[in-house]
Each structure stands twice: as C-alpha cells, then as structure tokens.
Amino acid sequence: MRELISFACGQCGRRNYTGDKNKRNTPDKLVFRKYCRFCRTHTEHREDKIK
C-alpha cells in the first residue's frame, strides 16, 4: 500500500530527498519546504516518482 517517492526541488529540479506515503490516505501530491544543497536555500520540494 505504501509507495516510494522522491522530492524534487522546485527551482533546479534535482531530486534531493526520498520518502514513502500511503496512497489511500494521501492521494494528492506532497509539497514540503526543504533545504536544497545545490541552490543553497530553502525551496519548495514536490513529490516525484522514483525511477
């Protein structure tokens, strides 16, 4: 039931974080404000599929 996801930076598009979520409880895409080491600032990270 749980699905592996990665979080991509909204500015540079790099995948910096990974995680998992329950698709039944949270069908929407997750969005967090996290630190991007490539941009060197806190940016919005959106859910992205792990390839």
Side-chain angles (χ1 to χ4, degrees):
M1 187 56 58
R2 298 192 75 76
E3 181 179 313
L4 287 175
I5 56 173
S6 64
F7 294 97
C9 177
Q11 288 183 348
C12 66
R14 295 191 184 199
R15 294 184 181 114
N16 301 326
Y17 296 96
T18 59
D20 60 348
K21 75 169 191 174
N22 188 332
K23 262 198 119 147
R24 185 179 290 171
N25 293 342
T26 53
D28 304 334
K29 290 196 177 241
L30 294 175
V31 177
F32 291 113
R33 194 158 165 78
K34 294 182 138 318
Y35 181 78
C36 177
R37 64 182 179 162
F38 303 103
C39 299
R40 293 186 180 162
T41 183
H42 282 84
T43 58
E44 195 174 74
H45 283 69
R46 293 191 170 273
E47 176 185 335
D48 200 23
K49 290 242 184 205
I50 290 182
K51 293 181 179 177

